[in-house]
Structures are given as structure tokens and as C-alpha cells.
């Protein structure tokens, strides 16, 4: 692929290419949401939804490095990974996360990262304390319904409207939508700077992407089936040459 040189970011020498490819989307997303969108400060408390997912595990690892107090929704089977990454797990299938956050914190959290959308957005907003920020992103992978393309677009539009509508509530809490594509278009220099920071953290072994499995490229179908089964924690990396 030929690209203009100002769109390239050098990869530090000696890194595992599978780990490099695994950090680009999820860790840059997590880094930018924490630092560019939420302007998170050390010691603040956060609720990270889907802590066992790709973006969730990245948020937990980067949040721990930044000294955050972290609560995270996940299913029972992902409780262990969330705990290992420094989060306090909340089994969203067994308890109401709003009640649980207020039980654990008294007055809520400083920021919520919500990639779920739908009804979750209003609930996430409720757990923000004064000055809190709700970062909404993604909304893609949680639908149990097999929506066609038009259905997906409509569902996304509804989610963004729900998110932005929360900003009309006249209080000191804020709602901030995040999209890596939009931010990269608007601020390409931030993308390069932030990806470089992420690569350096990987080089210093301060972050470690979870790679659930590496498959040869010709098993791409199995990779998709595994992803769709919802049983995967972390990334599946397709290897082009050999294993
Ligand atoms: N906007 C951007 O720039 C950007 C960048 C990267 C990704 N994304 C999007 O972000 C979303 C997440 O991506 P991902 O790669 O992290 O997905 P993923 O690895 O598939 O993880 C999704 C996670 O959601 C959990 N989950 C499902 N329903 C939930 C609920 N109601 N409450 C809490 N957790 C729930 C699942 O685990 P358990 O239910 O088993 O706990 C799973 O761990 C996707 O929509 C993706 O398209 C957006």
C-alpha cells in the first residue's frame, strides 16, 4: 500500500508485529478517549463498560497506568481478566450497574466510557458526578439482532441522537462522542502523536494487548465465527505468511 509519508508512524524496532497490529485501533481509541476527550486526571474514578472487550481491556491497562479508580461492567466469565487489569468488575447481567456504582462510590464517577449505546447511555449519564464526562463511542457490536446495513445505520443514528440529546440537560455534566475516524480526519497530528505514545508504551512493556489466538489468513472464516460467538477475549490476529 502506498501512502503519503506524513500518514506513517514508525514502529519501534523489535516489537512483535501481531502485538503492534493489535494496539493500533483499540489502544489509540482508548488513549484518545481518556486524554483527548475526557481529559482524565490521575486519581479520578471511571466506569468502563465492556471491560473484557478489545477497547475495554485497553482502557483498563491505560487507566491503571494513569492511576485511575476503575469500575467495569463485564459478564461473569470476564470478571477475572477485569480484576487482573485493575478494574472492579460489575456483572451487568446479575446487578443493575447504576445501583452498584452508587453502592460502591456514594456519589458516582468522574467519567464513563460507553460503547454499548441504546438505553445504557441514559443510565451511564446518571452515574456521573458533578463535572463528570460521558464518552460515547462505537455502538456496533452489542446488538443481538442481526440487523441489515440500513438497520445498523438507523440504530447508530438513534444512538448518536440519544447521546447528544443528553447534552441538552442543563447541568455541569458533559457528553462527548468519540470516533477515531472523525478525530483522525480533524486532527491527523494527534493520531500520529498518540499512536507513537502507544507504540512506546508497548516497547516499554507497560501495555500488553490480549491476543486470544493467531490464525493463518486462510482461516479468516473461523476467525469471524469465533468473534461472532462472543467468546473471544482480546484480538484474533490473522497471520499472512507462516505461523
Ligand atoms: N469509535 C471508535 O473510534 C471505535 C474504535 C474501536 C472500536 N469501536 C467500537 O467499539 C465497540 C467495542 O469494540 P471492541 O473491539 O471492544 O468489541 P469486543 O472486543 O467485541 O467487546 C465487546 C464487549 O462487550 C461486552 N458486552 C456486551 N454487551 C454488554 C453490556 N450490555 N454491558 C457491558 N458489556 C457488554 C462483551 O463481553 P461480555 O458481555 O462477555 O462481558 C464484550 O467483551 C464496537 O462497537 C466497535 O465497533 C469504536
Amino acid at each position: 500500500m502506498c501512502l503519503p509519508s506524513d500518514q506513517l508512524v514508525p514502529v519501534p524496532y523489535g516489537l512483535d508485529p501481531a502485538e503492534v497490529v493489535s494496539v493500533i485501533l483499540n489502544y489509540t481509541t482508548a488513549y484518545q478517549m481518556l486524554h483527548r476527550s475526557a481529559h482524565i486526571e490521575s486519581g479520578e474514578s471511571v466506569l468502563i463498560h465492556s471491560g473484557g472487550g478489545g477497547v475495554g481491556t485497553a482502557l483498563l491497562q491505560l487507566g491503571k497506568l494513569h492511576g485511575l479508580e476503575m469500575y467495569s461492567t463485564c459478564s461473569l466469565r470476564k470478571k477475572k481478566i477485569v480484576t487482573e487489569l485493575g478494574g472492579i468488575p460489575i456483572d451487568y447481567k446479575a446487578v443493575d450497574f447504576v445501583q452498584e456504582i452508587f453502592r460502591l462510590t456514594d456519589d458516582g464517577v468522574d467519567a464513563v466510557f460507553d460503547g454499548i449505546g441504546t438505553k445504557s447511555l441514559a443510565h451511564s449519564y446518571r452515574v456521573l458526578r458533578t463535572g463528570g464526562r460521558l464518552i460515547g463511542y462505537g455502538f456496533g457490536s452489542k446488538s443481538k439482532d442481526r440487523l441489515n446495513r440500513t438497520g445498523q445505520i438507523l440504530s447508530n443514528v438513534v444512538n448518536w441522537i440519544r447521546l447528544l440529546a443528553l447534552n441538552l440537560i442543563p447541568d455541569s455534566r458533559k457528553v462527548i462522542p468519540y470516533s477515531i475516524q472523525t478525530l483522525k480526519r480533524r486532527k491527523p497530528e494527534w493520531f500520529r502523536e498518540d499512536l507513537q505514545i502507544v507504540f512506546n508504551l508497548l516497547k516499554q512493556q507497560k501495555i500488553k494487548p490480549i491476543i486470544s489466538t493467531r490464525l493463518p489468513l486462510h482461516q479468516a472464516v473461523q476467525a469471524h465465527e469465533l468473534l461472532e460467538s462472543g467468546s473471544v477475549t482480546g484480538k484474533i490476529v490473522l497471520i499472512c505468511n507462516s505461523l
Side-chain angles (χ1 to χ4, degrees):
M1 186 184 285
C2 286
L3 286 171
S5 58
D6 65 359
Q7 287 190 24
L8 301 179
V9 173
V11 177
Y13 183 73
L15 293 180
D16 170 4
E19 291 197 344
V20 170
V21 85
S22 300
V23 296
I24 297 172
L25 178 64
N26 288 346
Y27 285 73
T28 310
T29 294
Y31 185 89
Q32 294 201 313
M33 289 197 296
L34 285 165
H35 298 287
R36 303 290 189 186
S37 305
H39 299 285
I40 206 77
E41 287 181 18
S42 181
E44 284 193 306
S45 60
V46 294
L47 168 63
I48 295 168
H49 283 297
S50 315
V55 177
T57 51
L59 279 165
L60 285 166
Q61 288 186 21
L62 293 170
K64 187 176 179 187
L65 282 180
H66 206 61
L68 303 182
E69 179 185 319
M70 302 184 293
Y71 303 90
S72 182
T73 55
C74 62
S75 60
L76 196 57
R77 65 184 163 175
K78 292 182 179 157
K79 195 173 163 181
K80 183 166 176 279
I81 183 75
V82 165
T83 310
E84 280 168 5
L85 295 177
I88 297 164
I90 297 174
D91 177 358
Y92 68 91
K93 291 183 180 168
V95 294
D96 175 324
F97 77 82
V98 175
Q99 281 176 13
E100 196 59 7
I101 284 289
F102 285 120
R103 188 182 71 77
L104 293 164
T105 65
D106 294 340
D107 65 341
V109 293
D110 297 300
V112 182
F113 300 88
D114 190 331
I116 297 162
T118 64
K119 287 183 194 149
S120 157
L121 293 170
H123 294 151
S124 292
Y125 191 82
R126 278 176 55 202
V127 303
L128 289 177
R129 56 169 67 124
T130 308
R133 293 83 83 200
L134 166 60
I135 315 299
Y137 69 101
F139 308 143
S141 65
K142 313 303 175 316
S143 175
K144 286 199 176 109
D145 313 319
R146 300 265 161 188
L147 296 175
N148 61 24
R149 184 86 188 113
T150 318
Q152 264 175 14
I153 292 170
L154 279 176
S155 156
N156 269 345
V157 170
V158 170
N159 272 319
W160 291 116
I161 293 171
R162 278 181 202 253
L163 185 67
L164 293 169
L166 290 169
N167 256 340
L168 300 175
I169 301 172
D171 63 16
S172 64
R173 297 176 287 184
K174 254 206 295 199
V175 175
I176 305 160
Y178 173 83
S179 151
I180 193 165
Q181 291 93 342
T182 310
L183 195 59
K184 184 170 181 284
R185 251 195 321 272
R186 284 184 38 229
K187 296 271 187 189
E189 68 285 6
W190 282 5
F191 182 82
R192 284 196 303 278
E193 274 170 45
D194 298 344
L195 182 52
Q196 209 129 27
I197 291 171
V198 165
F199 282 159
N200 286 333
L201 291 172
L202 184 63
K203 176 83 182 167
Q204 295 160 25
Q205 299 183 342
K206 291 188 173 165
I207 54 172
K208 177 96 183 145
I210 297 165
I211 298 179
S212 95
T213 177
R214 299 169 194 234
L215 294 173
L217 186 58
H218 69 265
Q219 287 186 16
V221 171
Q222 285 92 321
H224 278 282
E225 284 167 358
L226 272 173
L227 280 179
E228 285 169 12
S229 74
S231 61
V232 176
T233 302
K235 283 276 186 194
I236 298 176
V237 180
L238 294 176
I239 310 282
C240 294
N241 36 24
S242 59
L243 271 179

Short mmCIF file of all heavy atoms in Angstrom, two decimals, residues 25-26 29 50 52-56 73-75 77-78 92 116 137-142 178-180, ligand 1:
data_model
loop_
_atom_site.label_atom_id
_atom_site.label_comp_id
_atom_site.label_asym_id
_atom_site.label_seq_id
_atom_site.Cartn_x
_atom_site.Cartn_y
_atom_site.Cartn_z
N LEU A 25 -5.86 0.11 16.66
CA LEU A 25 -7.23 0.63 16.79
C LEU A 25 -7.65 0.77 18.27
O LEU A 25 -8.04 1.84 18.72
CB LEU A 25 -8.21 -0.27 16.04
CG LEU A 25 -9.68 0.15 16.14
CD1 LEU A 25 -9.91 1.51 15.49
CD2 LEU A 25 -10.59 -0.88 15.51
N ASN A 26 -7.53 -0.33 19.01
CA ASN A 26 -8.11 -0.32 20.36
C ASN A 26 -7.37 0.61 21.34
O ASN A 26 -7.99 1.31 22.13
CB ASN A 26 -8.12 -1.74 20.94
CG ASN A 26 -9.18 -2.60 20.27
OD1 ASN A 26 -10.04 -2.08 19.58
ND2 ASN A 26 -9.11 -3.90 20.46
N THR A 29 -7.71 4.32 20.29
CA THR A 29 -9.07 4.72 20.68
C THR A 29 -9.12 4.99 22.19
O THR A 29 -9.59 6.04 22.64
CB THR A 29 -10.07 3.59 20.32
OG1 THR A 29 -10.12 3.48 18.91
CG2 THR A 29 -11.45 3.86 20.86
N SER A 50 -17.94 -2.88 29.29
CA SER A 50 -17.34 -3.94 28.47
C SER A 50 -15.84 -4.09 28.70
O SER A 50 -15.06 -4.14 27.76
CB SER A 50 -17.58 -3.67 26.97
OG SER A 50 -18.89 -3.27 26.74
N GLY A 52 -14.08 -6.48 29.41
CA GLY A 52 -13.43 -7.68 28.86
C GLY A 52 -13.23 -7.62 27.36
O GLY A 52 -12.65 -8.53 26.77
N GLY A 53 -13.68 -6.54 26.72
CA GLY A 53 -13.57 -6.43 25.26
C GLY A 53 -12.24 -5.81 24.85
O GLY A 53 -11.40 -5.47 25.69
N GLY A 54 -12.08 -5.63 23.52
CA GLY A 54 -10.83 -5.09 22.99
C GLY A 54 -10.56 -3.68 23.50
O GLY A 54 -9.49 -3.40 24.05
N VAL A 55 -11.52 -2.77 23.33
CA VAL A 55 -11.32 -1.39 23.78
C VAL A 55 -11.32 -1.35 25.31
O VAL A 55 -10.54 -0.63 25.93
CB VAL A 55 -12.42 -0.46 23.21
CG1 VAL A 55 -12.27 0.96 23.73
CG2 VAL A 55 -12.38 -0.46 21.69
N GLY A 56 -12.18 -2.16 25.93
CA GLY A 56 -12.29 -2.18 27.39
C GLY A 56 -10.97 -2.58 28.06
O GLY A 56 -10.52 -1.92 29.00
N THR A 73 -18.05 -2.88 33.81
CA THR A 73 -19.08 -3.90 33.56
C THR A 73 -18.51 -5.01 32.68
O THR A 73 -17.71 -4.75 31.78
CB THR A 73 -20.32 -3.30 32.85
OG1 THR A 73 -19.90 -2.64 31.66
CG2 THR A 73 -21.06 -2.33 33.72
N CYS A 74 -18.91 -6.22 33.00
CA CYS A 74 -18.49 -7.38 32.19
C CYS A 74 -19.36 -8.56 32.60
O CYS A 74 -20.00 -8.53 33.65
CB CYS A 74 -17.01 -7.71 32.44
SG CYS A 74 -16.65 -8.15 34.14
N SER A 75 -19.36 -9.59 31.77
CA SER A 75 -20.08 -10.79 32.16
C SER A 75 -19.20 -11.58 33.14
O SER A 75 -18.01 -11.31 33.27
CB SER A 75 -20.41 -11.63 30.93
OG SER A 75 -19.22 -12.00 30.29
N ARG A 77 -17.87 -14.44 33.05
CA ARG A 77 -16.68 -15.15 32.53
C ARG A 77 -15.50 -14.20 32.30
O ARG A 77 -14.38 -14.64 32.14
CB ARG A 77 -17.03 -15.93 31.26
CG ARG A 77 -17.42 -15.06 30.11
CD ARG A 77 -17.84 -15.86 28.90
NE ARG A 77 -18.56 -14.99 27.98
CZ ARG A 77 -18.99 -15.33 26.81
NH1 ARG A 77 -18.80 -16.54 26.38
NH2 ARG A 77 -19.61 -14.47 26.05
N LYS A 78 -15.78 -12.88 32.25
CA LYS A 78 -14.68 -11.93 32.01
C LYS A 78 -14.26 -11.19 33.29
O LYS A 78 -13.42 -10.28 33.26
CB LYS A 78 -15.05 -10.96 30.91
CG LYS A 78 -15.15 -11.70 29.58
CD LYS A 78 -15.47 -10.83 28.41
CE LYS A 78 -15.52 -11.70 27.16
NZ LYS A 78 -16.30 -11.11 26.09
N TYR A 92 -22.89 -7.09 34.82
CA TYR A 92 -24.07 -6.34 34.38
C TYR A 92 -25.28 -7.23 34.14
O TYR A 92 -26.39 -6.76 34.02
CB TYR A 92 -23.74 -5.52 33.11
CG TYR A 92 -23.48 -6.36 31.88
CD1 TYR A 92 -24.51 -6.72 31.01
CD2 TYR A 92 -22.20 -6.82 31.59
CE1 TYR A 92 -24.27 -7.50 29.89
CE2 TYR A 92 -21.95 -7.60 30.47
CZ TYR A 92 -22.99 -7.94 29.62
OH TYR A 92 -22.75 -8.71 28.52
N ILE A 116 -21.76 0.84 24.33
CA ILE A 116 -22.93 -0.04 24.21
C ILE A 116 -24.09 0.67 23.52
O ILE A 116 -24.73 0.12 22.64
CB ILE A 116 -23.36 -0.54 25.60
CG1 ILE A 116 -22.23 -1.36 26.19
CG2 ILE A 116 -24.63 -1.38 25.51
CD1 ILE A 116 -22.33 -1.55 27.65
N TYR A 137 -19.03 5.92 22.20
CA TYR A 137 -18.28 5.51 21.00
C TYR A 137 -18.84 4.19 20.48
O TYR A 137 -19.54 3.49 21.21
CB TYR A 137 -16.78 5.35 21.32
CG TYR A 137 -16.48 4.17 22.21
CD1 TYR A 137 -15.99 2.97 21.69
CD2 TYR A 137 -16.70 4.25 23.58
CE1 TYR A 137 -15.74 1.88 22.51
CE2 TYR A 137 -16.45 3.16 24.40
CZ TYR A 137 -15.97 1.98 23.86
OH TYR A 137 -15.73 0.91 24.68
N GLY A 138 -18.49 3.88 19.24
CA GLY A 138 -18.79 2.54 18.71
C GLY A 138 -20.26 2.27 18.54
O GLY A 138 -20.87 2.69 17.57
N PHE A 139 -20.83 1.58 19.48
CA PHE A 139 -22.23 1.12 19.46
C PHE A 139 -22.46 0.01 18.44
O PHE A 139 -23.59 -0.30 18.12
CB PHE A 139 -23.24 2.25 19.14
CG PHE A 139 -23.09 3.47 19.99
CD1 PHE A 139 -23.28 4.73 19.45
CD2 PHE A 139 -22.77 3.38 21.33
CE1 PHE A 139 -23.17 5.87 20.22
CE2 PHE A 139 -22.65 4.51 22.12
CZ PHE A 139 -22.84 5.76 21.56
N GLY A 140 -21.39 -0.60 17.93
CA GLY A 140 -21.57 -1.54 16.83
C GLY A 140 -21.84 -2.97 17.23
O GLY A 140 -22.74 -3.63 16.70
N SER A 141 -21.07 -3.50 18.20
CA SER A 141 -21.00 -4.96 18.31
C SER A 141 -21.98 -5.60 19.29
O SER A 141 -21.96 -6.79 19.45
CB SER A 141 -19.58 -5.35 18.71
OG SER A 141 -19.32 -4.86 20.00
N LYS A 142 -22.80 -4.78 19.96
CA LYS A 142 -23.58 -5.37 21.04
C LYS A 142 -24.97 -5.85 20.62
O LYS A 142 -25.65 -6.48 21.40
CB LYS A 142 -23.75 -4.38 22.20
CG LYS A 142 -22.50 -3.68 22.64
CD LYS A 142 -21.45 -4.67 23.03
CE LYS A 142 -20.13 -4.03 23.37
NZ LYS A 142 -19.72 -2.99 22.46
N TYR A 178 -17.14 10.09 20.58
CA TYR A 178 -15.78 9.86 20.07
C TYR A 178 -15.84 8.93 18.86
O TYR A 178 -16.52 7.90 18.89
CB TYR A 178 -14.88 9.23 21.14
CG TYR A 178 -13.53 8.83 20.58
CD1 TYR A 178 -12.51 9.76 20.44
CD2 TYR A 178 -13.30 7.54 20.11
CE1 TYR A 178 -11.29 9.43 19.88
CE2 TYR A 178 -12.08 7.20 19.53
CZ TYR A 178 -11.09 8.15 19.43
OH TYR A 178 -9.89 7.82 18.86
N SER A 179 -15.10 9.31 17.83
CA SER A 179 -14.90 8.41 16.69
C SER A 179 -13.46 8.57 16.23
O SER A 179 -13.01 9.69 15.97
CB SER A 179 -15.88 8.79 15.56
OG SER A 179 -15.30 8.45 14.32
N ILE A 180 -12.76 7.45 16.15
CA ILE A 180 -11.34 7.54 15.77
C ILE A 180 -11.20 8.08 14.35
O ILE A 180 -10.29 8.87 14.08
CB ILE A 180 -10.64 6.17 15.95
CG1 ILE A 180 -9.12 6.33 15.87
CG2 ILE A 180 -11.12 5.12 14.96
CD1 ILE A 180 -8.33 5.14 16.40
N1 LIG B 1 -15.38 4.88 17.74
C1 LIG B 1 -14.19 4.33 17.60
O1 LIG B 1 -13.25 5.03 17.33
C2 LIG B 1 -14.02 2.87 17.86
C3 LIG B 1 -12.76 2.28 17.89
C4 LIG B 1 -12.67 0.92 18.20
C5 LIG B 1 -13.83 0.20 18.42
N2 LIG B 1 -15.02 0.80 18.31
C6 LIG B 1 -16.28 0.13 18.56
O2 LIG B 1 -16.33 -0.08 19.96
C7 LIG B 1 -17.15 -1.17 20.26
C8 LIG B 1 -16.39 -2.15 21.12
O3 LIG B 1 -15.33 -2.71 20.36
P1 LIG B 1 -14.47 -3.88 20.94
O4 LIG B 1 -13.44 -4.19 19.93
O5 LIG B 1 -14.04 -3.53 22.33
O6 LIG B 1 -15.54 -5.05 20.99
P2 LIG B 1 -15.38 -6.53 21.58
O7 LIG B 1 -13.94 -6.87 21.79
O8 LIG B 1 -16.24 -7.39 20.73
O9 LIG B 1 -16.01 -6.41 23.02
C9 LIG B 1 -17.34 -6.20 23.23
C10 LIG B 1 -17.60 -6.50 24.70
O10 LIG B 1 -18.85 -6.04 25.08
C11 LIG B 1 -19.28 -6.84 26.18
N3 LIG B 1 -20.72 -6.56 26.33
C12 LIG B 1 -21.75 -6.94 25.52
N4 LIG B 1 -22.91 -6.41 25.99
C13 LIG B 1 -22.59 -5.68 27.09
C14 LIG B 1 -23.36 -4.91 28.01
N5 LIG B 1 -24.69 -4.76 27.88
N6 LIG B 1 -22.71 -4.29 29.04
C15 LIG B 1 -21.38 -4.42 29.18
N7 LIG B 1 -20.59 -5.14 28.35
C16 LIG B 1 -21.21 -5.76 27.30
C17 LIG B 1 -18.84 -8.23 25.79
O11 LIG B 1 -18.40 -9.06 26.81
P3 LIG B 1 -19.21 -9.72 27.98
O12 LIG B 1 -20.67 -9.43 27.74
O13 LIG B 1 -18.92 -11.20 27.90
O14 LIG B 1 -18.63 -9.09 29.19
C18 LIG B 1 -17.51 -7.94 25.06
O15 LIG B 1 -16.41 -8.05 25.96
C19 LIG B 1 -17.57 -1.74 18.91
O16 LIG B 1 -18.83 -1.21 18.62
C20 LIG B 1 -16.54 -1.20 17.93
O17 LIG B 1 -17.05 -1.11 16.64
C21 LIG B 1 -15.13 2.12 18.07
#
